[in-house]
Amino acid sequence: MRGMKMLAVAAVAVMTVGMTACGGTDEGSDGGGTTDKTTKVGLAFDIGGRGDKSFNDAAALGLDNAMKELKIEAKDLEAAASESENDKFERLKLLCTDGYNPVIAVGFVYAGADPKTGPLAKAAQECPDTKFAIIDDQSVTAANVAGLVFAEEQGSFLVGAAAALKTKSGTVGFVGGCDVPLIKKFEAGFKAGVEAAKAGTKVLSNYLSTPADKCSGFNDPAKGETQAEGMYDQGADIVYQAAGGSGTGVFKAAKAKGKLAIGVDSDQYNTVEADLKEVIITSMLKRVDVAVYNFIKDHAAGKFTAGPLVFDLSKDGVGYSTSGGKVDDIKTQLDKYKQDIIAGTIKVPSA
């Protein structure tokens, strides 16, 4: 199936009065974070959608939090693993023509191979009065497009330091969902943090997919499990995964091998099945929920800024989790690294 038939729709709605028309803006604020008109928010998910317990769920949380505070009617649409760029464009255009404004594209895949002619650029051109945001991309330049981007390397530095301070074997691992510049930022930061905390610690790295296979490694838990098993067999006792839905496989491998793992995007200690909690020592928090929430709230208040909006450690856009208590004994050291990064004393590489 192609086109509209490929769109699996998961609609979330809060029924309120005063829907806005396609491309319209919401006016008025009572100063308490609410508006006197309904904001219709469209969310176009990346592969995995709601329930991936990672990247997409973080975006969904931002929408859900906004719905608790603002008058919102929302619709979110799922992506298919084998879809084309035109399918992505149709998803964005469908939200636009159905009257949703703003529309949020979850993931760099919506920029396409050529950001000047890709799905988002095309949708932004055909819907000039609709405000768009794209998470993890700043290559699409248009007057009605904002890029919500993060300093993933900074948060990854902190969990890299945690891995080095916690490893007993002297070897740790990194599993990336797709071999693209964005995930390279996670790897670069992780390696820098490992080296800073305990020089000489060995880091094993591998990627589950490439753009040639449409970054399928973000939604392949079985492959994530296999890759992590290989790293544990090579001596790693902690593996950091930046692989979206495939991270569950990494956690399963850690449990089977009696080893440990590090989550990503969300506080995955609080999202995984109960039997996997014990393997997660921390997660690199990428506050996609904060970015989505802030973008929606600003739009509802009549505020919009085109171009990149960067969420780093200084803005709590990234960080590390402490759920489970496994890093409580090194928290002082990790927080010192955090402050040094914010102060500029430590420069974290992004490539």
Side-chain angles (χ1 to χ4, degrees):
M1 294 185 294
R2 296 184 59 80
M4 297 301 178
K5 293 182 180 180
M6 294 185 65
L7 302 179
V9 180
V12 182
V14 171
M15 299 309 296
T16 55
V17 297
M19 294 184 181
T20 56
C22 178
T25 58
D26 299 309
E27 300 174 353
S29 173
D30 62 8
T34 60
T35 60
D36 58 10
K37 289 188 178 182
T38 299
T39 299
K40 296 185 67 176
V41 181
L43 200 68
F45 282 123
D46 198 353
I47 297 170
R50 277 186 184 265
D52 72 345
K53 304 184 185 302
S54 185
F55 179 66
N56 287 286
D57 273 355
L61 178 60
L63 173 61
D64 294 344
N65 286 340
M67 291 178 71
K68 295 175 183 176
E69 180 178 336
L70 307 172
K71 294 181 179 180
I72 287 177
E73 178 188 346
K75 177 184 286 187
D76 55 63
L77 303 179
E78 300 284 353
S82 59
E83 68 184 21
S84 67
E85 287 196 1
N86 188 60
D87 293 321
K88 292 179 175 62
F89 160 70
E90 288 180 351
R91 182 175 300 111
L92 298 174
K93 183 67 180 296
L94 176 62
L95 290 169
C96 168
T97 55
D98 279 353
Y100 292 90
N101 183 18
V103 173
I104 302 170
V106 184
F108 64 86
V109 292
Y110 284 94
D114 184 347
K116 294 181 179 180
T117 59
L120 179 57
K122 188 176 178 182
Q125 183 177 15
E126 295 198 13
C127 301
D129 295 324
T130 299
K131 298 299 189 290
F132 292 88
I134 180 170
I135 298 171
D136 282 346
D137 182 82
Q138 55 184 323
S139 65
V140 181
T141 56
N144 57 335
V145 174
L148 310 182
V149 294
F150 302 81
E152 294 93 351
E153 70 280 4
Q154 293 182 356
S156 295
F157 181 101
L158 298 180
V159 299
L165 293 170
K166 286 291 184 177
T167 183
K168 295 179 180 179
S169 68
T171 300
V172 298
F174 172 83
V175 174
C178 189
D179 191 354
V180 291
L182 172 65
I183 307 303
K184 290 288 189 182
K185 289 173 66 180
F186 289 81
E187 181 186 10
F190 180 69
K191 287 182 173 179
V194 169
E195 182 65 17
K198 190 179 295 183
T201 301
K202 185 177 181 180
V203 181
L204 306 174
S205 296
N206 213 332
Y207 287 83
L208 303 180
S209 63
T210 68
D213 51 23
K214 299 185 178 181
C215 290
S216 60
F218 286 122
N219 194 33
D220 193 341
K223 195 169 185 179
E225 186 171 3
T226 299
Q227 290 292 344
E229 285 176 348
M231 290 182 175
Y232 292 130
D233 288 342
Q234 292 178 66
D237 56 356
I238 301 172
V239 172
Y240 172 37
Q241 64 85 13
S246 298
T248 302
V250 174
F251 301 147
K252 288 182 177 179
K255 182 174 177 60
K257 297 287 186 178
K259 305 298 183 180
L260 298 169
I262 295 174
V264 75
D265 295 336
S266 304
D267 183 350
Q268 294 197 281
Y269 180 90
N270 293 324
T271 64
V272 298
E273 299 297 327
D275 66 325
L276 296 179
K277 289 180 181 292
E278 65 187 75
V279 308
I280 300 177
I281 64 170
T282 184
S283 295
M284 195 288 276
L285 300 178
K286 178 175 173 177
R287 300 305 302 274
V288 175
D289 58 325
V290 172
V292 169
Y293 171 84
N294 286 346
F295 178 76
I296 294 172
K297 187 174 182 179
D298 284 350
H299 184 276
K303 303 174 184 176
F304 174 80
T305 302
L309 301 174
V310 182
F311 295 83
D312 58 12
L313 277 177
S314 68
K315 297 179 180 178
D316 285 327
V318 293
Y320 73 97
S321 66
T322 58
S323 298
K326 287 186 171 61
V327 295
D328 287 354
D329 58 328
I330 59 172
K331 188 175 185 301
T332 299
Q333 292 162 276
L334 298 181
D335 287 345
K336 177 62 165 60
Y337 282 127
K338 176 181 177 179
Q339 292 307 315
D340 285 346
I341 293 170
I342 292 173
T345 306
I346 293 177
K347 303 290 186 181
V348 184
S350 59

